Amino acid sequence: MRAGVFLSVFWVTAIGPFVQAQSIQWASRVVNVSSEKSGGTSGEQYKASQALGSPSKVPALGESPCAWSPQQADGTADEWIHVGFARPIRPRQIIVAENVNPGAVIRIIAFDEKGTEHLVYQAPGIQERTDPLLRIFPKDAEFLCAQLKVIINGFALKGINQIDAIGILEDTKPASVGINVSKDTPKDIKKENLGKTVNTPGQEVAPVISPDGRTLYFTRNFNKANTGSPDRQDVWYSTLQPGGWSEAINIGSPINNSGDNAISGMAPDGRTAYLINVYRPDGGLSFGISKSVRTKTGWLQPAECRIPNNYNLHEKNQLEFCVSPDGRAIILAVQRKDTRGNRDLYISRQTGENTWSEPVSLGNVLNTADSESSPFLAADSRTLYFTSAGHPGYGNGDIFVSRRLDDSWTNWSEPENLGPAINTAEWDGYFTIPAAGDYAYLSSRAGSFGEDDIFRLKLYPAIKPDAVAIISGQVLDATTKKPIAASVVANLFNEQKEVANVSYSPETGEYKLILPTQKSYVLKAVKEGYLPTTEILDLSNEKRFREIRHNLYVTKVDSGQKIVLREILFQQSQSTLSLRANEELDRIVSVMEAHPAMELLVEGHTDNQGDWGLNMKLSEDRVQVVKTYLTGKGIAPNRIRTKALGASRPEASNDREEKRVLNRRVEFTILKL
């Protein structure tokens, strides 16, 4: 060993959460490279850029498209990669992760900020190792390292050579590299086979659990009862009964035909299914996504979800996707021209009825130069589960969880591995979770009756999605109390942000919305010819899953009818209109414009908190502000009468806040139509 260079190699046996006392600075840019292998006509497989950032394969060994490879498997004796670091530091420890043929590194040269070379490692010879991590502790490390050049002898060790990552740190304590496993992962998680009413000796895969957790849809293969032939996939379903899962039933035509059929998403109401493939008029199938709606007479013929420039370059044309709970976004796993590797995750947003935007990549935090697949977006619309072969894991493809950090769909948290109790040495995927967030359903071959079976497991807290509430009910005529078809809309309280919009039809049962808890919402039903009754749904103190039944009412436009708008119109204790007021008052304007002879009485009410006189003045100020807004929109002043009533006509008791909120309201009564 040459003077000034000290080499130490350690075997890393602990594979646990990626937690280490010292901070490793990984290479952030490629300065130059001797050669690089091509992974295909597009993508970033095997390129020098794959040596940047933290390891993608290590601590495991094995070839990966997420690591740099020289062009030739048995290359020259002088292959090298030259990388730079974002922040020059003293290189008291240097780490090179070699995921294939560790021991091929023969020399490492460091460059300081002025470009001066420092030889920090010279191998005495080829020393093949089983440990993928080469750690170097230079004796002369009192300079700021800005770049490293790592030279390997690609000819010495037979087969491909790969470098997964290159890092430096100022700490001399041997650094460890592990798998980024979710916090507090239990060592043992019991996977429960759903039993013979669901599983057979054939193949059951791709489970989709309805948001209420009561219906399980899945794909069955190698079964004589399948449509067409046994080796074609059909959609089957089972319902949860008091004694367990019912005997599975073939969903039948038109969803199942002679081709391969699968459901990949289900709307909260359980009546809208999203299907793989486009169903052609001639009975055939082609690449794409379709949607089918269940009516009283059965499922309708699937209609295409039209996505512009939608294609798949994957050699087997594999497609997996999921749909957001509000139905406004589709996450696809496909291979496109800008894909980093085999398949990436993309987002397509709804632009109209059955129309969607061109897919856009979810970004490099999630996507790698290997394969990402099997996405599932939880009911909170924030927590994403997916399978990846390009993040460090335990098998050929592990399940990871990541959380959306904003509304952009491209800003995600670092993916966390669900751990060895869930992930195996094989491919794992098809994770699906009901809105309650208590159990997950997935496919596995281990412990099956033959081919893949469907299992469930209890979720541990660290990987659970955020709590949500399922809101369901009917829309009723306020006078007759009979159900009436309408749109049900949910907005964030005091924000101009619509979070859900569903259609309700008395023929198909109830409306259903999924709303994240710890927030407040404004609910209303909208129907032409009717005045909506706006209601506040306060979930701000709810931290667990809830199922809430809540009927909504609409009032037919007729003389003597009354509509109540509560605190939504005003800032609390003020006569200033809130952010949501314009939309609500514009609905009143539209009704008055449609009925030119209509006259309204606007009454202002408060609770009994505070001075009686001040409350009376507040109610007077508020009704005048409403009248000013309506007249400003072109409504004649003589069509609007006002009355300030203060706290004199409470609708409910004033002894508790949840009751007082019912008393703070503005009422509109139709005097003349």
Side-chain angles (χ1 to χ4, degrees):
M1 191 172 294
R2 294 184 59 178
V5 180
F6 176 68
L7 166 66
S8 182
V9 178
F10 293 85
W11 174 245
V12 178
T13 57
I15 300 178
F18 194 126
V19 177
Q20 54 189 41
Q22 66 276 55
S23 176
I24 302 173
Q25 183 182 180
W26 300 105
S28 59
R29 63 188 177 91
V30 175
V31 178
N32 209 339
V33 66
S34 58
S35 69
E36 55 188 9
K37 179 181 176 180
S38 173
T41 57
S42 62
E44 304 170 21
Q45 304 98 316
Y46 302 104
K47 294 187 180 296
S49 60
Q50 295 307 309
L52 303 180
S54 60
S56 300
K57 184 71 174 180
V58 171
L61 287 167
E63 182 178 342
S64 171
C66 300
W68 167 63
S69 295
Q71 186 173 11
Q72 301 298 325
D74 294 305
T76 70
D78 188 31
E79 296 281 3
W80 50 267
I81 183 171
H82 189 165
V83 296
F85 298 89
R87 181 174 58 88
I89 61 173
R90 290 176 176 82
R92 295 193 175 112
Q93 187 175 173
I94 297 171
I95 297 176
V96 180
E98 299 176 89
N99 55 297
V100 178
N101 272 337
V105 175
I106 58 174
R107 190 164 58 256
I108 299 178
I109 300 170
F111 296 82
D112 60 26
E113 293 177 294
K114 296 180 180 180
T116 303
E117 296 185 8
H118 301 261
L119 180 63
V120 291
Y121 173 60
Q122 178 70 54
I126 298 298
Q127 297 179 332
E128 189 171 1
R129 308 187 318 272
T130 55
D131 177 9
L133 289 185
L134 170 64
R135 295 183 186 82
I136 299 164
F137 299 85
K139 289 186 177 179
D140 178 17
E142 296 309 309
F143 64 92
L144 297 180
C145 177
Q147 300 174 14
L148 282 179
K149 183 177 182 180
V150 179
I151 300 100
I152 66 174
N153 186 339
F155 182 75
L157 297 177
K158 186 174 179 59
I160 190 174
N161 297 102
Q162 285 201 289
I163 290 181
D164 191 5
I166 301 169
I168 57 175
L169 62 163
E170 293 186 322
D171 199 324
T172 57
K173 179 181 178 182
S176 63
V177 174
I179 297 173
N180 186 25
V181 178
S182 295
K183 183 181 179 182
D184 299 327
T185 303
K187 292 182 180 179
D188 296 310
I189 298 176
K190 182 181 178 181
K191 292 180 181 177
E192 174 192 350
N193 190 303
L194 294 193
K196 294 184 178 180
T197 58
V198 172
N199 295 314
T200 68
Q203 184 185 60
E204 284 77 32
V205 294
V208 174
I209 189 73
S210 62
D212 63 11
R214 298 185 181 103
T215 306
L216 180 72
Y217 301 89
F218 59 93
T219 300
R220 177 174 280 176
N221 202 357
F222 310 124
N223 190 283
K224 293 181 179 179
N226 279 358
T227 305
S229 63
D231 61 349
R232 290 290 187 178
Q233 295 178 346
D234 267 13
V235 176
W236 292 66
Y237 71 94
S238 174
T239 57
L240 187 60
Q241 305 296 326
W245 291 97
S246 69
E247 192 72 36
I249 299 172
N250 189 304
I251 203 169
S253 177
I255 289 178
N256 288 330
N257 58 22
S258 59
D260 288 319
N261 312 114
I263 284 181
S264 280
M266 182 64 62
D269 61 9
R271 297 194 301 272
T272 303
Y274 295 87
L275 312 165
I276 286 177
N277 293 318
V278 173
Y279 288 65
R280 299 197 308 261
D282 63 3
L285 300 172
S286 58
F287 173 76
I289 296 172
S290 297
K291 181 172 74 172
S292 179
V293 177
R294 180 167 55 86
T295 66
K296 293 180 70 174
T297 59
W299 292 94
L300 298 180
Q301 180 66 25
E304 180 182 3
C305 296
R306 296 183 296 276
I307 302 174
N309 199 26
N310 189 26
Y311 61 89
N312 191 5
L313 299 177
H314 190 265
E315 60 181 358
K316 296 182 180 179
N317 204 30
Q318 286 183 332
L319 164 68
E320 288 139 3
F321 70 90
C322 65
V323 181
S324 63
D326 62 7
R328 297 176 180 178
I330 298 176
I331 296 178
L332 308 93
V334 290
Q335 185 175 6
R336 295 172 60 85
K337 293 178 181 178
D338 62 342
T339 296
R340 300 188 70 198
N342 185 295
R343 282 191 291 164
D344 279 359
L345 301 179
Y346 290 82
I347 179 74
S348 178
R349 303 196 200 191
Q350 189 175 29
T351 56
E353 182 66 26
N354 275 5
T355 60
W356 306 77
S357 65
E358 182 174 346
V360 175
S361 172
L362 292 190
N364 293 353
V365 173
L366 301 183
N367 292 320
T368 70
D370 209 318
S371 177
E372 277 67 48
S373 58
S374 185
F376 172 75
L377 188 67
D380 62 2
S381 289
R382 175 176 175 261
T383 308
L384 177 68
Y385 304 85
F386 65 101
T387 296
S388 175
H391 295 283
Y394 300 94
N396 298 332
D398 281 12
I399 303 172
F400 291 80
V401 60
S402 178
R403 292 170 175 84
R404 190 157 56 103
L405 301 178
D406 55 29
D407 291 335
S408 69
W409 292 96
T410 56
N411 188 15
W412 297 87
S413 66
E414 192 67 27
E416 298 174 0
N417 191 295
L418 298 194
I422 294 177
N423 291 313
T424 69
E426 302 300 327
W427 187 92
D428 298 285
Y430 298 125
F431 214 65
T432 179
I433 302 172
D438 48 359
Y439 287 92
Y441 296 79
L442 71 162
S443 299
S444 179
R445 185 163 295 187
S448 71
F449 299 134
E451 300 288 334
D452 300 79
D453 279 357
I454 296 173
F455 295 76
R456 78 169 186 173
L457 56 88
K458 194 168 183 62
L459 288 179
Y460 56 93
I463 65 171
K464 281 188 174 184
D466 295 340
V468 299
I470 295 181
I471 317 299
S472 63
Q474 295 178 298
V475 179
L476 305 173
D477 185 297
T479 303
T480 66
K481 302 299 186 290
K482 291 183 178 180
I484 186 167
S487 295
V488 178
V489 182
N491 296 290
L492 281 175
F493 181 69
N494 270 344
E495 291 186 34
Q496 290 182 317
K497 183 178 181 181
E498 183 180 284
V499 294
N501 189 328
V502 299
S503 297
Y504 166 73
S505 171
E507 294 183 355
T508 54
E510 300 179 324
Y511 76 84
K512 282 190 178 180
L513 300 172
I514 295 179
L515 301 175
T517 60
Q518 302 188 58
K519 296 179 181 179
S520 294
Y521 300 90
V522 176
L523 295 182
K524 60 175 172 284
V526 181
K527 171 73 173 178
E528 188 173 352
Y530 285 76
L531 294 169
T533 300
T534 302
E535 300 188 28
I536 298 171
L537 178 65
D538 186 4
L539 301 177
S540 58
N541 294 321
E542 300 290 343
K543 296 183 179 180
R544 297 182 179 180
F545 170 73
R546 285 196 60 190
E547 290 188 86
I548 299 172
R549 182 169 177 79
H550 192 86
N551 291 334
L552 297 171
Y553 296 86
V554 290
T555 303
K556 190 173 181 62
V557 177
D558 205 352
S559 295
Q561 297 286 9
K562 181 182 296 185
I563 178 174
V564 179
L565 298 180
R566 304 195 189 278
E567 280 189 326
I568 185 173
L569 284 184
F570 297 97
Q571 305 292 340
Q572 188 162 356
S573 301
Q574 298 179 30
S575 58
T576 305
L577 289 174
S578 69
L579 294 174
R580 298 295 308 161
N582 289 8
E583 181 180 338
E584 298 302 318
L585 293 177
D586 284 346
R587 294 185 189 279
I588 303 294
V589 171
S590 296
V591 173
M592 296 189 76
E593 288 176 340
H595 300 82
M598 178 187 286
E599 294 181 7
L600 284 182
L601 171 63
V602 183
E603 296 176 307
H605 301 265
T606 68
D607 59 29
N608 69 348
Q609 302 298 291
D611 182 80
W612 181 274
L614 291 178
N615 282 334
M616 188 63 73
K617 184 177 187 310
L618 177 62
S619 63
E620 173 64 31
D621 290 344
R622 285 182 167 181
V623 294
Q624 289 303 320
V625 166
V626 169
K627 181 173 183 177
T628 299
Y629 184 92
L630 297 178
T631 57
K633 291 288 184 174
I635 305 299
N638 62 358
R639 297 175 62 191
I640 305 166
R641 303 181 194 178
T642 63
K643 183 182 291 187
L645 295 168
S648 63
R649 292 186 186 174
E651 257 191 10
S653 168
N654 279 299
D655 59 349
R656 299 197 313 273
E657 174 57 23
E658 57 264 34
K659 297 293 185 181
R660 288 194 291 269
V661 71
L662 300 176
N663 296 327
R664 300 192 291 264
R665 66 197 190 278
V666 175
E667 295 181 351
F668 298 79
T669 303
I670 300 175
L671 300 175
K672 179 182 176 183
L673 190 60

Short mmCIF file of all heavy atoms in Angstrom, two decimals, residues 28-74:
data_model
loop_
_atom_site.label_atom_id
_atom_site.label_comp_id
_atom_site.label_asym_id
_atom_site.label_seq_id
_atom_site.Cartn_x
_atom_site.Cartn_y
_atom_site.Cartn_z
N SER A 28 -22.97 14.69 -7.30
CA SER A 28 -24.14 15.37 -7.83
C SER A 28 -24.06 15.67 -9.32
O SER A 28 -25.05 16.05 -9.93
CB SER A 28 -24.36 16.69 -7.07
OG SER A 28 -23.23 17.53 -7.20
N ARG A 29 -22.88 15.49 -9.93
CA ARG A 29 -22.75 15.75 -11.37
C ARG A 29 -21.64 14.90 -11.97
O ARG A 29 -20.69 14.51 -11.28
CB ARG A 29 -22.48 17.23 -11.65
CG ARG A 29 -21.18 17.75 -11.10
CD ARG A 29 -21.06 19.25 -11.24
NE ARG A 29 -19.83 19.76 -10.63
CZ ARG A 29 -18.68 19.89 -11.29
NH1 ARG A 29 -18.61 19.57 -12.58
NH2 ARG A 29 -17.60 20.35 -10.68
N VAL A 30 -21.79 14.60 -13.25
CA VAL A 30 -20.76 13.86 -13.99
C VAL A 30 -19.86 14.86 -14.70
O VAL A 30 -20.35 15.71 -15.45
CB VAL A 30 -21.40 12.89 -15.01
CG1 VAL A 30 -20.32 12.21 -15.84
CG2 VAL A 30 -22.25 11.85 -14.30
N VAL A 31 -18.56 14.77 -14.44
CA VAL A 31 -17.60 15.62 -15.14
C VAL A 31 -17.22 14.99 -16.46
O VAL A 31 -17.22 15.63 -17.51
CB VAL A 31 -16.35 15.85 -14.26
CG1 VAL A 31 -15.31 16.70 -15.00
CG2 VAL A 31 -16.73 16.51 -12.93
N ASN A 32 -16.91 13.69 -16.42
CA ASN A 32 -16.56 12.97 -17.65
C ASN A 32 -16.59 11.47 -17.35
O ASN A 32 -16.65 11.06 -16.19
CB ASN A 32 -15.17 13.37 -18.15
CG ASN A 32 -15.05 13.25 -19.67
OD1 ASN A 32 -15.83 12.54 -20.30
ND2 ASN A 32 -14.07 13.95 -20.24
N VAL A 33 -16.54 10.68 -18.40
CA VAL A 33 -16.56 9.23 -18.23
C VAL A 33 -15.86 8.60 -19.42
O VAL A 33 -15.89 9.14 -20.54
CB VAL A 33 -18.02 8.72 -18.11
CG1 VAL A 33 -18.80 8.92 -19.42
CG2 VAL A 33 -18.06 7.27 -17.67
N SER A 34 -15.21 7.45 -19.19
CA SER A 34 -14.48 6.79 -20.27
C SER A 34 -15.44 6.19 -21.29
O SER A 34 -15.22 6.30 -22.50
CB SER A 34 -13.58 5.70 -19.69
OG SER A 34 -14.34 4.75 -18.94
N SER A 35 -16.49 5.55 -20.83
CA SER A 35 -17.50 4.97 -21.71
C SER A 35 -18.71 4.62 -20.86
O SER A 35 -18.64 4.59 -19.63
CB SER A 35 -16.97 3.72 -22.43
OG SER A 35 -16.79 2.66 -21.50
N GLU A 36 -19.82 4.36 -21.51
CA GLU A 36 -21.01 3.95 -20.78
C GLU A 36 -21.85 3.04 -21.65
O GLU A 36 -21.94 3.22 -22.87
CB GLU A 36 -21.82 5.14 -20.29
CG GLU A 36 -22.22 6.12 -21.35
CD GLU A 36 -22.87 7.40 -20.80
OE1 GLU A 36 -22.86 7.61 -19.59
OE2 GLU A 36 -23.37 8.19 -21.63
N LYS A 37 -22.47 2.07 -21.01
CA LYS A 37 -23.30 1.11 -21.70
C LYS A 37 -24.62 1.75 -22.09
O LYS A 37 -25.15 2.60 -21.38
CB LYS A 37 -23.55 -0.10 -20.79
CG LYS A 37 -24.44 -1.18 -21.38
CD LYS A 37 -24.64 -2.31 -20.37
CE LYS A 37 -25.60 -3.35 -20.90
NZ LYS A 37 -25.81 -4.46 -19.92
N SER A 38 -25.17 1.32 -23.22
CA SER A 38 -26.47 1.82 -23.65
C SER A 38 -27.54 0.82 -23.24
O SER A 38 -27.42 -0.38 -23.50
CB SER A 38 -26.49 2.01 -25.17
OG SER A 38 -27.80 2.35 -25.60
N GLY A 39 -28.59 1.33 -22.59
CA GLY A 39 -29.67 0.46 -22.15
C GLY A 39 -30.80 0.35 -23.15
O GLY A 39 -31.76 -0.38 -22.92
N GLY A 40 -30.72 1.08 -24.24
CA GLY A 40 -31.79 1.05 -25.23
C GLY A 40 -31.78 2.33 -26.03
O GLY A 40 -30.85 3.14 -25.95
N THR A 41 -32.83 2.51 -26.84
CA THR A 41 -32.90 3.69 -27.70
C THR A 41 -33.20 4.96 -26.92
O THR A 41 -32.97 6.05 -27.39
CB THR A 41 -33.98 3.49 -28.78
OG1 THR A 41 -35.23 3.21 -28.13
CG2 THR A 41 -33.62 2.32 -29.68
N SER A 42 -33.76 4.82 -25.71
CA SER A 42 -34.05 5.98 -24.88
C SER A 42 -33.85 5.60 -23.43
O SER A 42 -33.61 4.44 -23.10
CB SER A 42 -35.50 6.46 -25.11
OG SER A 42 -36.42 5.45 -24.73
N GLY A 43 -33.96 6.57 -22.55
CA GLY A 43 -33.80 6.28 -21.13
C GLY A 43 -32.40 6.53 -20.64
O GLY A 43 -31.50 6.93 -21.39
N GLU A 44 -32.20 6.27 -19.36
CA GLU A 44 -30.93 6.58 -18.70
C GLU A 44 -30.25 5.34 -18.14
O GLU A 44 -29.33 5.45 -17.32
CB GLU A 44 -31.19 7.58 -17.57
CG GLU A 44 -31.89 8.86 -18.01
CD GLU A 44 -32.36 9.71 -16.84
OE1 GLU A 44 -31.81 9.54 -15.73
OE2 GLU A 44 -33.28 10.51 -17.03
N GLN A 45 -30.66 4.15 -18.57
CA GLN A 45 -30.10 2.93 -18.03
C GLN A 45 -28.60 2.85 -18.26
O GLN A 45 -28.11 3.12 -19.35
CB GLN A 45 -30.76 1.70 -18.67
CG GLN A 45 -32.27 1.66 -18.54
CD GLN A 45 -32.96 2.17 -19.80
OE1 GLN A 45 -32.57 3.18 -20.36
NE2 GLN A 45 -33.99 1.45 -20.23
N TYR A 46 -27.88 2.49 -17.20
CA TYR A 46 -26.44 2.19 -17.21
C TYR A 46 -25.56 3.40 -17.47
O TYR A 46 -24.34 3.27 -17.50
CB TYR A 46 -26.12 1.10 -18.26
CG TYR A 46 -26.85 -0.19 -18.04
CD1 TYR A 46 -27.94 -0.53 -18.83
CD2 TYR A 46 -26.46 -1.07 -17.04
CE1 TYR A 46 -28.63 -1.72 -18.63
CE2 TYR A 46 -27.14 -2.27 -16.83
CZ TYR A 46 -28.23 -2.59 -17.63
OH TYR A 46 -28.89 -3.76 -17.42
N LYS A 47 -26.12 4.58 -17.62
CA LYS A 47 -25.32 5.75 -17.95
C LYS A 47 -24.56 6.25 -16.72
O LYS A 47 -24.85 5.89 -15.58
CB LYS A 47 -26.20 6.86 -18.52
CG LYS A 47 -26.83 6.51 -19.87
CD LYS A 47 -27.56 7.70 -20.46
CE LYS A 47 -28.17 7.33 -21.81
NZ LYS A 47 -27.14 7.01 -22.81
N ALA A 48 -23.56 7.10 -16.97
CA ALA A 48 -22.74 7.63 -15.88
C ALA A 48 -23.59 8.37 -14.85
O ALA A 48 -23.27 8.37 -13.66
CB ALA A 48 -21.67 8.56 -16.45
N SER A 49 -24.68 8.97 -15.30
CA SER A 49 -25.55 9.70 -14.38
C SER A 49 -26.15 8.80 -13.30
O SER A 49 -26.59 9.28 -12.25
CB SER A 49 -26.68 10.39 -15.16
OG SER A 49 -27.46 9.43 -15.85
N GLN A 50 -26.17 7.48 -13.55
CA GLN A 50 -26.72 6.56 -12.57
C GLN A 50 -25.83 6.37 -11.35
O GLN A 50 -26.25 5.79 -10.34
CB GLN A 50 -27.02 5.21 -13.22
CG GLN A 50 -28.09 5.27 -14.30
CD GLN A 50 -29.37 5.91 -13.78
OE1 GLN A 50 -29.89 5.52 -12.74
NE2 GLN A 50 -29.86 6.91 -14.50
N ALA A 51 -24.59 6.86 -11.42
CA ALA A 51 -23.69 6.80 -10.26
C ALA A 51 -23.89 8.01 -9.35
O ALA A 51 -23.24 8.10 -8.30
CB ALA A 51 -22.24 6.72 -10.72
N LEU A 52 -24.77 8.93 -9.72
CA LEU A 52 -25.02 10.12 -8.91
C LEU A 52 -26.07 9.81 -7.84
O LEU A 52 -26.92 8.94 -8.01
CB LEU A 52 -25.48 11.27 -9.79
CG LEU A 52 -24.55 11.67 -10.94
CD1 LEU A 52 -25.16 12.82 -11.73
CD2 LEU A 52 -23.17 12.04 -10.41
N GLY A 53 -26.00 10.57 -6.76
CA GLY A 53 -26.98 10.40 -5.70
C GLY A 53 -26.71 9.16 -4.87
O GLY A 53 -25.68 8.48 -5.03
N SER A 54 -27.64 8.84 -3.97
CA SER A 54 -27.47 7.70 -3.08
C SER A 54 -27.61 6.40 -3.86
O SER A 54 -28.14 6.38 -4.97
CB SER A 54 -28.50 7.77 -1.95
OG SER A 54 -29.81 7.76 -2.49
N PRO A 55 -27.16 5.27 -3.29
CA PRO A 55 -27.21 3.99 -4.01
C PRO A 55 -28.63 3.58 -4.38
O PRO A 55 -29.59 3.83 -3.65
CB PRO A 55 -26.61 3.00 -3.00
CG PRO A 55 -25.75 3.83 -2.11
CD PRO A 55 -26.46 5.15 -1.99
N SER A 56 -28.77 2.94 -5.53
CA SER A 56 -30.04 2.42 -5.99
C SER A 56 -30.15 0.91 -5.81
O SER A 56 -31.25 0.37 -5.76
CB SER A 56 -30.25 2.75 -7.47
OG SER A 56 -30.25 4.15 -7.68
N LYS A 57 -29.01 0.23 -5.72
CA LYS A 57 -28.99 -1.23 -5.58
C LYS A 57 -28.38 -1.66 -4.25
O LYS A 57 -28.92 -2.51 -3.54
CB LYS A 57 -28.20 -1.85 -6.74
CG LYS A 57 -28.20 -3.37 -6.74
CD LYS A 57 -29.56 -3.92 -7.12
CE LYS A 57 -29.52 -5.44 -7.25
NZ LYS A 57 -30.83 -5.99 -7.62
N VAL A 58 -27.22 -1.08 -3.93
CA VAL A 58 -26.52 -1.41 -2.69
C VAL A 58 -27.41 -1.03 -1.52
O VAL A 58 -28.07 0.01 -1.56
CB VAL A 58 -25.17 -0.66 -2.65
CG1 VAL A 58 -24.49 -0.78 -1.29
CG2 VAL A 58 -24.25 -1.17 -3.78
N PRO A 59 -27.49 -1.88 -0.47
CA PRO A 59 -26.52 -2.90 -0.06
C PRO A 59 -26.63 -4.24 -0.78
O PRO A 59 -25.80 -5.11 -0.52
CB PRO A 59 -26.81 -3.06 1.43
CG PRO A 59 -28.24 -2.73 1.57
CD PRO A 59 -28.50 -1.64 0.59
N ALA A 60 -27.63 -4.45 -1.63
CA ALA A 60 -27.71 -5.71 -2.35
C ALA A 60 -26.70 -5.74 -3.49
O ALA A 60 -26.25 -4.70 -3.98
CB ALA A 60 -29.12 -5.91 -2.89
N LEU A 61 -26.32 -6.92 -3.89
CA LEU A 61 -25.46 -7.11 -5.05
C LEU A 61 -26.30 -7.53 -6.25
O LEU A 61 -27.39 -8.08 -6.10
CB LEU A 61 -24.41 -8.19 -4.75
CG LEU A 61 -23.27 -7.80 -3.79
CD1 LEU A 61 -22.51 -9.04 -3.35
CD2 LEU A 61 -22.34 -6.80 -4.43
N GLY A 62 -25.79 -7.26 -7.45
CA GLY A 62 -26.48 -7.67 -8.65
C GLY A 62 -26.55 -6.55 -9.66
O GLY A 62 -26.49 -5.36 -9.33
N GLU A 63 -26.68 -6.93 -10.92
CA GLU A 63 -26.72 -5.95 -12.00
C GLU A 63 -27.96 -5.08 -11.89
O GLU A 63 -29.04 -5.54 -11.53
CB GLU A 63 -26.70 -6.66 -13.35
CG GLU A 63 -26.68 -5.70 -14.54
CD GLU A 63 -26.62 -6.42 -15.87
OE1 GLU A 63 -26.26 -7.61 -15.90
OE2 GLU A 63 -26.95 -5.77 -16.90
N SER A 64 -27.80 -3.80 -12.21
CA SER A 64 -28.92 -2.86 -12.17
C SER A 64 -28.74 -1.80 -13.23
O SER A 64 -27.64 -1.26 -13.40
CB SER A 64 -29.01 -2.20 -10.79
OG SER A 64 -29.95 -1.14 -10.81
N PRO A 65 -29.80 -1.44 -13.96
CA PRO A 65 -29.72 -0.32 -14.90
C PRO A 65 -29.58 1.02 -14.19
O PRO A 65 -29.35 2.03 -14.84
CB PRO A 65 -31.02 -0.42 -15.69
CG PRO A 65 -31.95 -1.14 -14.78
CD PRO A 65 -31.12 -2.09 -13.99
N CYS A 66 -29.71 1.01 -12.85
CA CYS A 66 -29.60 2.24 -12.06
C CYS A 66 -28.18 2.45 -11.56
O CYS A 66 -27.96 3.19 -10.59
CB CYS A 66 -30.56 2.20 -10.88
SG CYS A 66 -32.28 2.04 -11.37
N ALA A 67 -27.19 1.79 -12.18
CA ALA A 67 -25.78 1.98 -11.83
C ALA A 67 -24.98 2.15 -13.12
O ALA A 67 -25.39 1.68 -14.19
CB ALA A 67 -25.26 0.80 -11.02
N TRP A 68 -23.83 2.83 -13.01
CA TRP A 68 -22.99 3.05 -14.19
C TRP A 68 -22.29 1.77 -14.59
O TRP A 68 -21.76 1.03 -13.75
CB TRP A 68 -21.95 4.13 -13.92
CG TRP A 68 -20.87 4.18 -14.99
CD1 TRP A 68 -21.04 4.47 -16.31
CD2 TRP A 68 -19.48 3.89 -14.82
NE1 TRP A 68 -19.83 4.40 -16.98
CE2 TRP A 68 -18.86 4.05 -16.08
CE3 TRP A 68 -18.69 3.52 -13.72
CZ2 TRP A 68 -17.49 3.85 -16.28
CZ3 TRP A 68 -17.34 3.33 -13.91
CH2 TRP A 68 -16.74 3.49 -15.18
N SER A 69 -22.29 1.51 -15.90
CA SER A 69 -21.54 0.39 -16.47
C SER A 69 -20.70 0.89 -17.64
O SER A 69 -21.20 1.65 -18.48
CB SER A 69 -22.48 -0.71 -16.99
OG SER A 69 -23.20 -1.30 -15.96
N PRO A 70 -19.43 0.46 -17.74
CA PRO A 70 -18.67 0.74 -18.96
C PRO A 70 -19.34 0.08 -20.16
O PRO A 70 -20.19 -0.81 -20.01
CB PRO A 70 -17.29 0.12 -18.66
CG PRO A 70 -17.22 0.05 -17.17
CD PRO A 70 -18.63 -0.22 -16.71
N GLN A 71 -18.95 0.52 -21.33
CA GLN A 71 -19.62 0.06 -22.55
C GLN A 71 -19.52 -1.45 -22.74
O GLN A 71 -20.47 -2.11 -23.14
CB GLN A 71 -19.04 0.78 -23.76
CG GLN A 71 -19.78 0.48 -25.06
CD GLN A 71 -19.27 1.33 -26.21
OE1 GLN A 71 -18.25 2.01 -26.08
NE2 GLN A 71 -19.98 1.33 -27.31
N GLN A 72 -18.34 -2.02 -22.46
CA GLN A 72 -18.12 -3.44 -22.67
C GLN A 72 -18.16 -4.19 -21.35
O GLN A 72 -17.69 -3.70 -20.33
CB GLN A 72 -16.76 -3.67 -23.35
CG GLN A 72 -16.61 -2.98 -24.70
CD GLN A 72 -17.61 -3.49 -25.72
OE1 GLN A 72 -17.96 -4.68 -25.72
NE2 GLN A 72 -18.08 -2.61 -26.60
N ALA A 73 -18.72 -5.41 -21.38
CA ALA A 73 -18.78 -6.22 -20.16
C ALA A 73 -17.38 -6.54 -19.66
O ALA A 73 -17.08 -6.38 -18.47
CB ALA A 73 -19.56 -7.51 -20.44
N ASP A 74 -16.53 -6.99 -20.52
CA ASP A 74 -15.12 -7.19 -20.17
C ASP A 74 -14.34 -6.07 -20.83
O ASP A 74 -13.82 -6.20 -21.94
CB ASP A 74 -14.63 -8.56 -20.66
CG ASP A 74 -15.32 -9.69 -19.93
OD1 ASP A 74 -15.26 -9.70 -18.69
OD2 ASP A 74 -15.92 -10.56 -20.59
#
